[in-house]
Every structure is written in C-alpha cells, then in structure tokens.
C-alpha cells in the first residue's frame, strides 16, 4: 500500500496514513419486548400524543430482567463477525462503548472476549450516547497505525436499568439494545475519511447518574432518594444537542473536503426527531438521505447509531461506496461525528 496524506481529526489536519480503516460489517440485537407509548400512559402521567410530538418516539424495546448488556452485545457481535466472515480468534482488539456495563468492573468488553472465545485485548469506553463514535474512531487509530488488523466495536446500553420508571420526563425517552461493527484495514484514504470528537465537562451535571461512583457510593439513602437513576435537564440538553450535532458533522465533513451535498446517508444519534431535524437543516441534507428509527427504539444511547446503521444498510440507505456521516451527542457532555466511505 502506498502512503497518502489524509485530512483527519483536530489539531493534526494532515497525517501520513499507510492504510485506512473501514467498517467491514455492522449488526444489531434488541430485546423482543416492545413497550408502546400507550403502555407508558398506564404507568406515568403522559400521553401518546405528547411523546410523539415532542420526541417522535412511538415504542421502545425493554430487556427482561434475566438479560444484561453482555447478552445483546454478544448477539450483535456474533452477527457482525459472521457478516464480515471474521472468526473471533482473528480479532486483535475489542472496544465496547457503554454506560450500563454488566458491572462497574470487570469491563463488559472482557466478558464479551470470553464469550466469543477471542484472544485479544479488550476494554470499555464511556462517552455517553456518543460512545459508539468514540469507540469507532479509537478502533480506527489502532488499524491506521498498523497496530491491529481487525477490531470489534460494540455499542450497548440498557438504559431501562438506570431509568426511574416513575419520572415521566425521562422514562418515555429510552430503550435497550446493542450494535456491533467489525473494522478492518483498507486502502489509505478510504473507509473512515475524517472525524470530530469533543467534550464539555462543564455540562456534566445536565445529564448524569449521581450515585454509584466514588463520589456517592450506592447506599440505602442514595437509593431512597433515587440518586441511582438518570437525572437530566432535558431543556438544556435539547438546546446543546440542536446546536452541536450540525456543528460537529459540518466540522468532520470539512476535514475531508466535503459538504452536506456530498452525503449519501446521514445517520444521527436517535434521541429525538426534533434534534435530528435541526441537524438536517443546518447541513442542508434532504429528508430522504437521513436515516431515522427513533420511532421504534427510542434513545438506546451507545447502541443507537450502530442499530440505525444496520437497518439503514438493510433498507438500502447505506450501500457500498456511499458517503455516510454518523453523528452523536450525549452525557459528558460529549459529541462526535465521523465520515465513512462505506
Ligand atoms: N408527558 C407529558 N408531559 C411531559 C412529559 C411527558 N412524558 N415530560 C415532560 N412533560 C411536561 C413538562 O413537565 C413541562 O410541563 P410544564 O410546562 O408544566 O413545566 C412540559 O411538558 C414541557 O417540558 P419541556 O421539558 O420544556 O419539554 P421539551 O419540549 O423540552 O421536551 C424532552 C422534553 C423531550 C425531554 C426534550 O427536552 C429533549 O428531548 N431533551 C433532550 C434529551 C436527550 O436527548 N437526552 C440525551 C440523553 S443522551 C445520554 O447520554 C444518556
């Protein structure tokens, strides 16, 4: 392979790449159980109309108690490996993005390595709902540098486990699921064309789980006060998301000399239809090029983008040679975008 100069991330605008990193396959796994807006009307003071109008969500998948993150991560990973015709022992690294791991430690990536029978390094990464973009970008660096040939990237979250089902301002928004991608080496200048990652920790308190870490361990008092659940300032997160999705995608596109007009498929984090619409307008991307499935899954956090990518590919939105932009935001606050040649 020859060496090319490729635009890439921030700070380093020109890097010498001996090879690129591409998504060889993508797959997903979601619980069978569907919870509709009508089901939620029976649990909290809400209406199907309010949820649809404010978020676009109609139903979500919720995992039964006997399942945990590893089960969906494993199912999605097995499917992605089969699609890429890669066996577990060919993996050089596993990166799992999650904020609802099976345990605080060991990492869910290690549980997955064992379940798959892989013999490689494995670690979790936490960047809220932007986790999959962070994980994909991280995996690509290992491949582009020549350190790894084949990396499994998983986004998995069971937000239902950290949701207060009595809080109507959050419980209507979230769902459970997993998505996985196998990344392999490709010609330089192909695959991941550019990326943008960002964070603003000053916004951390806007979206958090207060208890369960070293600051406020889980105690009977913390649980009684509901501090082990998601606490969110929805309005402020909404304003941030509306601004950042378009900005970040625009930055990633400009780093590889492209604009919204070059995009074949835009796959945003599936949190809220109104947030997706705002990004679409900023990038001047027509509706028919934007993949949306928030109506069926709600916000599945780290799993949202790979689930959407999997379905977008199934439905022909994403095709070989397509220019695909994935873009997310989440707790941290974090945000990220990547431009992929499929
Ligand atoms: N049903 C009925 N009424 C409700 C509901 C509900 N489920 N939830 C809130 N309301 C009420 C509020 O109490 C409020 O009533 P009030 O005016 O009497 O005070 C009214 O509806 C309007 O509330 P807002 O919060 O202003 O509604 P908004 O239009 O902002 O929509 C929403 C709320 C959907 C949460 C929106 O702010 C949003 O999507 N924010 C972003 C959330 C998000 O994407 N989070 C990302 C998580 S990512 C991660 O890393 C986990």
């Amino acid at each position: 392979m020859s060496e090319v100069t490729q635009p890439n991330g921030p700070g380093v605008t020109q890097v010498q790449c001996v090879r690129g990193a591409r998504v060889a396959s993508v797959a997903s796994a979601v619980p069978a159980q569907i919870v509709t807006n009508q089901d939620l009307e029976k649990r909290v003071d809400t209406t199907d109309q309010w949820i649809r109008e404010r978020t676009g969500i109609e139903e979500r998948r919720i995992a039964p108690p006997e399942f945990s993150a590893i089960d969906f991560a494993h199912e999605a990973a097995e499917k992605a490996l089969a699609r890429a015709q890669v066996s577990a022992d060919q993996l050089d690294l596993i990166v799992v993005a999650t904020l609802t791991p099976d345990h605080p430690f060991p990492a869910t990536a290690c549980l997955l390595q064992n379940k798959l029978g892989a013999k490689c390094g494995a670690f979790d990464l936490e960047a809220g709902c932007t986790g999959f973009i962070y994980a994909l970008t991280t995996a690509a660096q290992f491949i582009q540098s020549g350190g790894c040939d084949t990396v499994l990237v998983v986004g998995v979250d069971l937000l239902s486990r950290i949701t207060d089902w009595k809080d109507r301002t959050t419980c209507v928004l979230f769902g459970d699921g997993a998505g996985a991608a196998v990344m392999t080496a490709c010609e330089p200048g192909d695959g991941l064309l550019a990326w943008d990652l960002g964070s603003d920790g000053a916004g951390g308190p806007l979206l958090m789980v207060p208890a369960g870490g070293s600051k406020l361990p889980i105690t009977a008092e913390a649980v009684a006060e509901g501090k082990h659940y998601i606490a969110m300032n929805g309005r402020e997160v909404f304003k941030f998301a509306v601004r950042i999705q378009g900005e970040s995608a625009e930055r990633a596109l400009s780093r590889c000399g492209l604009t919204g007009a070059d995009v074949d498929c835009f796959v945003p984090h599936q949190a809220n239809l109104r947030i997706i619409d705002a990004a679409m307008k900023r990038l001047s991307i027509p509706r028919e090029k934007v993949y949306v499935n928030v109506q069926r899954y709600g916000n599945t956090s780290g799993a949202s983008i790979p689930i959407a990518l999997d379905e977008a590919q199934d439905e022909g939105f994403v095709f070989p040679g397509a220019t695909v932009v994935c873009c997310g935001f989440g707790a941290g606050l974090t945000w990220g975008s990547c431009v992929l040649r499929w």
Side-chain angles (χ1 to χ4, degrees):
M1 284 180 179
S2 59
E3 195 170 276
V4 299
T5 302
Q6 180 181 330
N8 212 318
V12 185
T13 51
Q14 300 287 310
V15 288
Q16 300 297 313
C17 285
V18 288
R19 60 184 192 170
R22 66 182 279 267
V23 175
S25 71
V26 66
S28 61
V30 294
Q33 192 196 344
I34 295 173
V35 174
T36 64
N37 291 348
Q38 286 77 11
D39 295 328
L40 291 178
E41 283 177 350
K42 294 174 198 138
R43 297 177 78 151
V44 287
D45 179 16
T46 192
T47 61
D48 172 49
Q49 188 188 358
W50 191 96
I51 303 170
R52 277 176 199 254
E53 286 179 4
R54 302 289 177 123
T55 70
I57 300 167
E58 295 167 19
E59 59 187 42
R60 68 287 292 143
R61 303 297 182 103
I62 302 296
E66 64 274 22
F67 284 83
S68 62
I70 183 64
D71 299 302
F72 299 99
H74 182 234
E75 186 184 335
E78 288 280 21
K79 282 191 211 166
L81 288 170
R83 285 182 190 172
Q85 297 183 309
V86 164
S87 61
D89 57 13
Q90 287 175 282
L91 290 174
D92 298 315
L93 187 67
I94 299 173
V95 187
V96 173
T98 185
L99 47 77
T100 50
D102 270 36
H103 311 281
F105 68 88
T108 300
C110 297
L111 306 181
L112 183 59
Q113 167 272 319
N114 181 50
K115 214 160 175 173
L116 290 170
K119 295 173 181 62
C120 62
F123 65 94
D124 283 4
L125 166 162
E126 201 271 277
C129 297
T130 323
F132 186 77
I133 303 274
Y134 268 76
L136 192 99
T137 307
T138 301
Q141 311 308 305
F142 280 95
I143 294 172
Q144 287 171 343
S145 69
C148 294
D149 286 331
T150 311
V151 182
L152 176 66
V153 181
V154 175
V156 58
D157 270 311
L158 268 58
L159 288 189
S160 67
R161 299 291 159 83
I162 54 168
T163 297
D164 179 353
W165 288 95
K166 294 192 188 73
D167 176 8
R168 69 174 183 173
T169 67
T170 52
C171 78
V172 302
L173 303 174
F174 304 123
D176 300 336
V182 173
M183 295 197 70
T184 54
C186 63
E187 288 298 318
D190 206 359
L192 178 66
L193 302 182
W195 51 270
D196 174 63
L197 298 179
S199 72
D200 178 8
L206 295 176
L207 179 51
M208 70 189 308
V209 174
S214 58
K215 175 110 176 152
L216 180 60
I218 299 268
T219 58
E221 287 84 354
V223 171
E225 289 171 23
K227 299 253 195 263
H228 56 311
Y229 292 134
I230 295 172
M232 180 175 73
N233 181 332
R235 256 174 235 186
E236 287 307 313
V237 174
F238 184 88
K239 280 193 256 170
F240 153 74
V242 160
R243 177 175 58 80
I244 209 71
Q245 283 227 118
E247 267 181 34
S248 173
E250 212 165 53
R251 260 195 305 273
L253 279 164
S254 74
R255 283 183 186 138
C256 54
L258 301 177
T259 70
D262 301 303
V263 176
D264 294 306
C265 185
F266 181 58
V267 182
H269 172 42
Q270 310 284 319
N272 184 317
L273 198 53
R274 291 188 292 148
I275 297 172
I276 294 173
D277 283 343
M280 218 172 73
K281 275 195 199 110
R282 178 173 179 135
L283 296 166
S284 302
I285 296 179
R287 182 65 183 80
E288 63 272 17
K289 293 190 173 180
V290 180
Y291 190 77
V292 177
N293 63 7
V294 69
Q295 67 278 10
R296 282 182 284 120
Y297 299 114
N299 178 351
T300 57
S301 188
S304 120
I305 288 174
I307 293 173
L309 269 175
D310 182 24
E311 297 197 340
Q313 181 170 261
D314 271 1
E315 294 169 32
F317 283 78
V318 168
F319 48 86
T323 301
V324 179
V325 175
C326 300
C327 174
F329 66 90
L333 299 170
T334 56
W335 59 90
S337 300
C338 57
V339 185
L340 297 157
R341 172 86 20 82
W342 203 257

